[in-house]
């Protein structure tokens, strides 16, 4: 790294929706912006969470001067406990609500963090980094962008943002601050890319209020609303609609209860008198006066709504109930969500979702808003962040259209090293940056090979073969004994392959080339694998065990 340069390495969030984490390095010190998780997809069975790969900074944690958290969503704060397990005194910087949500999460991990609460307009210095915090509008209150000023130049990182001009909390994205920073000179702009493909402007949160009121007015029995556990604005709208229609609201799900309790205590959630009740009191009210606010809008198998759809919850959904999915679909979750919708519909509920009613608006800036930002800020270099590759490329094209030279627009992936030197940003290399899987109580022990084995077991099944042989003659003394799971209902199907195994082992002994048990096991594996592929067009996991008599 050249003296005086500013280095930026994203350890997550580029080429994916989630796991957002950027590391800025200057004069031997590190500043981390966000530290979030990614939720697993269907091809990652058994995985609970996916973390950024901390190996790049693992031996340099003493150089970290601060961890700046832009807002309180899981994809930006969810991995903080795992980072603080490595070094628990890293200072956490964020807004009041963001830090409160992080502290509640850390309490479960028995970690007491060092924190500094900041507000928009505030400037703090951490080592060689001077950070100015700017108010931005998102689907959670108290979101901040951060302008990081160094002797090598200024970086403006938006975090997740949009430009709702009529936000529910009256707190708009501070475009005047963006313009002021632009006038002073932004050397590297790192904007949210999630909605870069969407033309125009993101609809205001206020557009949802009349739709919710209409749904509440038409509902005959209970109303069940599913949302992210941190979506304070949406919960506020549900509370207001319930109050207007003389209904009571019970929060369902541990994270929902915890987060809304924090939001209410800090003044971000205004609860009308008498509206909020305990879940235990729901049975004392007639169905037409009940609203349940729960988690599970993404089809998470253990969340409240999924369990209701599977009849594995104390709340039994039935005919006449109305279920509202008040969130967008995170890419990769479509099948899970549709499975929940179908399950609820099968139980007789009316399901209202983004596909048939405007019950959710995005928390991210669309193309029109991003163009405004480029024209206001006039950055010298651009590095789109937060999105899949198609989102990053779309955002990059917007930058080019507004006059940023194409060679100054960097579409990077996780681990790509970008250096800002003399006002020019360039890719200078790449660091190892894989996915770290949380599986139960283990962190980082599950590998891609393990996931491949799980996929084979889940999709193709499992066959085990036990054979006892005479090591000198190759004659089968006992077996082959074949057991299968997830492959065939009856073991009689293997009668055709047993003679093939016996013949192959005898031939190997006669040839005198393969006599150790490992080689014999490979012969059994190939014989069974070839037969399964020819007969069933399947590739199950095959575990042979050859024992010498």
């Amino acid at each position: 790294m050249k003296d005086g340069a500013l280095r930026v390495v994203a350890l997550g969030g580029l080429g994916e929706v989630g796991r957002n984490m950027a590391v800025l390095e200057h004069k031997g010190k590190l500043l981390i912006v966000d530290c979030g998780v990614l939720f697993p997809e269907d091809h990652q069975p058994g995985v609970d969470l996916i973390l950024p790969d901390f190996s790049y900074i693992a031996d340099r944690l003493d150089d970290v001067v601060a961890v700046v958290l832009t807002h309180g969503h899981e994809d930006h704060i969810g991995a903080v406990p795992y980072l603080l397990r490595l070094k628990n005194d890293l200072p956490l910087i964020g807004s009041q609500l963001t830090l409160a949500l992080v502290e509640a999460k850390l309490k479960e991990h028995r970690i007491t963090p060092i924190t500094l609460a900041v507000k928009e307009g505030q400037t703090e210095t951490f080592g060689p980094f001077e950070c100015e915090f700017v108010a931005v509008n998102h689907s959670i209150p108290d979101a901040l962008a951060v302008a990081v000023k160094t002797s090598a130049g200024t970086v403006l990182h938006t975090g997740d943002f949009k430009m709702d001009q009529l936000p529910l909390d009256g707190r708009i994205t501070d475009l005047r601050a963006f313009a002021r920073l632009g006038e002073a000179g932004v050397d590297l702009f790192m904007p949210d890319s999630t909605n870069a493909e969407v033309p125009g402007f993101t609809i205001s949160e206020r557009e949802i209020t009349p739709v919710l009121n209409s749904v509440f007015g038409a509902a005959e029995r209970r109303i069940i609303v599913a949302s992210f556990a941190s979506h304070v604005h949406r919960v506020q709208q549900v509370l207001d609609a319930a109050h207007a229609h003389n209904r009571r609201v019970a929060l369902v799900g541990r994270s929902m209860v915890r987060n809304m309790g924090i939001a209410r205590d800090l003044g971000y959630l205004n609860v009308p008198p008498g509206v909020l009740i305990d879940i235990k009191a729901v049975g004392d009210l007639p169905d037409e006066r009940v609203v349940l606010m729960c988690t599970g809008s993404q089809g998470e198998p253990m969340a409240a709504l999924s369990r209701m759809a599977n009849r594995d919850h104390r709340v039994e959904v039935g005919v006449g109930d109305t279920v509202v999915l008040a969130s967008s679909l995170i890419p990769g979750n479509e099948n899970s969500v549709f499975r929940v919708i179908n399950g609820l519909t099968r139980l007789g509920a009316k399901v209202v979702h983004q596909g048939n009613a405007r019950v959710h608006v995005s928390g991210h800036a669309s193309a029109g808003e991003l163009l405004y930002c480029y024209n206001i800020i006039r950055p010298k270099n651009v590095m789109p962040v937060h999105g899949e590759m198609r989102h990053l490329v779309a955002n990059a094209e917007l930058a080019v259209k507004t006059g940023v030279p194409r060679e100054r627009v960097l579409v990077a992936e996780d681990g790509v090293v970008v250096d800002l030197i003399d006002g020019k940003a360039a890719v200078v290399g790449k660091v190892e940056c894989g996915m770290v899987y949380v599986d139960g109580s283990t962190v980082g022990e599950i590998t891609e090979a393990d996931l491949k084995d799980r996929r084979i077991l889940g999709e193709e099944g499992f066959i085990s073969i036990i054979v006892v042989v005479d090591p000198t003659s190759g004659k089968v003394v006992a077996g082959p004994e074949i057991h299968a799971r997830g492959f065939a209902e009856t073991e009689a199907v293997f009668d055709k392959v047993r003679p093939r195994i016996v013949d192959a082992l005898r031939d190997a002994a006669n040839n005198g080339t393969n006599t150790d048990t490992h080689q014999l096991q490979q012969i059994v594996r190939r014989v069974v694998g070839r037969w399964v592929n020819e007969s069933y067009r399947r590739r199950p996991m095959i575990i042979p065990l050859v024992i010498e008599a």
Side-chain angles (χ1 to χ4, degrees), residues 147-367:
V148 183
K149 302 171 186 176
T150 71
S151 57
T154 297
V155 176
L156 178 55
H157 192 301
T158 66
D160 285 353
F161 86 110
K162 61 178 176 176
M163 287 161 51
D164 191 338
Q165 298 304 298
L166 295 170
L168 295 173
D169 59 2
R171 185 176 177 274
I172 63 172
T173 294
D174 191 351
L175 295 178
R176 292 185 299 174
F178 278 8
R180 175 174 49 78
L181 290 165
E183 286 294 323
V186 171
D187 298 283
L188 180 62
F189 186 35
M190 299 173 68
D192 174 12
S193 304
T194 311
N195 268 5
E197 288 185 311
V198 181
F201 290 75
T202 301
I203 298 165
S204 173
E205 295 276 349
R206 291 184 185 270
E207 297 285 327
I208 296 173
T209 301
V211 180
L212 281 179
N213 277 317
S214 174
V215 170
F216 275 54
E220 300 170 1
R221 292 185 65 217
R222 293 174 304 180
I223 300 172
I224 301 165
V225 184
S227 172
F228 292 117
S230 56
H231 204 331
V232 180
H233 294 326
R234 194 68 69 248
V235 175
Q236 183 68 67
Q237 289 174 307
V238 170
L239 291 174
D240 293 341
H243 183 58
H245 291 86
N246 194 29
R247 286 179 178 260
R248 301 291 176 264
V249 179
L251 302 178
V252 183
R254 188 166 56 91
S255 56
M256 178 69 74
V257 173
R258 181 191 67 196
N259 291 350
M260 292 310 120
I262 292 169
R264 179 178 57 184
D265 293 344
L266 295 178
Y268 295 97
L269 185 69
N270 177 31
V271 181
V275 168
L276 209 55
I277 61 172
D278 190 272
I279 184 66
K280 296 175 184 175
V282 167
D284 300 331
L285 293 172
D287 287 348
E288 63 271 13
R289 292 195 60 199
V290 172
V291 178
L292 301 173
M293 186 78 217
C294 70
T295 55
S297 59
Q298 296 302 310
E300 306 95 313
M302 295 309 293
L305 194 65
S306 296
R307 290 168 58 201
M308 290 177 197
N310 294 327
R311 290 189 165 182
D312 183 29
H313 196 274
R314 71 167 103 179
V315 177
E316 295 183 1
V317 177
V319 177
D321 288 338
T322 300
V323 180
V324 181
L325 272 68
S327 68
S328 59
L329 277 175
I330 293 176
N333 291 349
E334 294 89 350
N335 290 339
S336 299
V337 173
F338 293 142
R339 192 157 46 241
V340 170
I341 291 174
N342 287 327
L344 294 167
T345 304
R346 193 174 292 113
L347 294 174
K350 177 185 178 183
V351 184
V352 181
H353 54 89
Q354 194 177 18
N356 57 26
R358 184 170 288 164
V359 288
H360 178 74
V361 298
S362 176
H364 303 271
S366 297

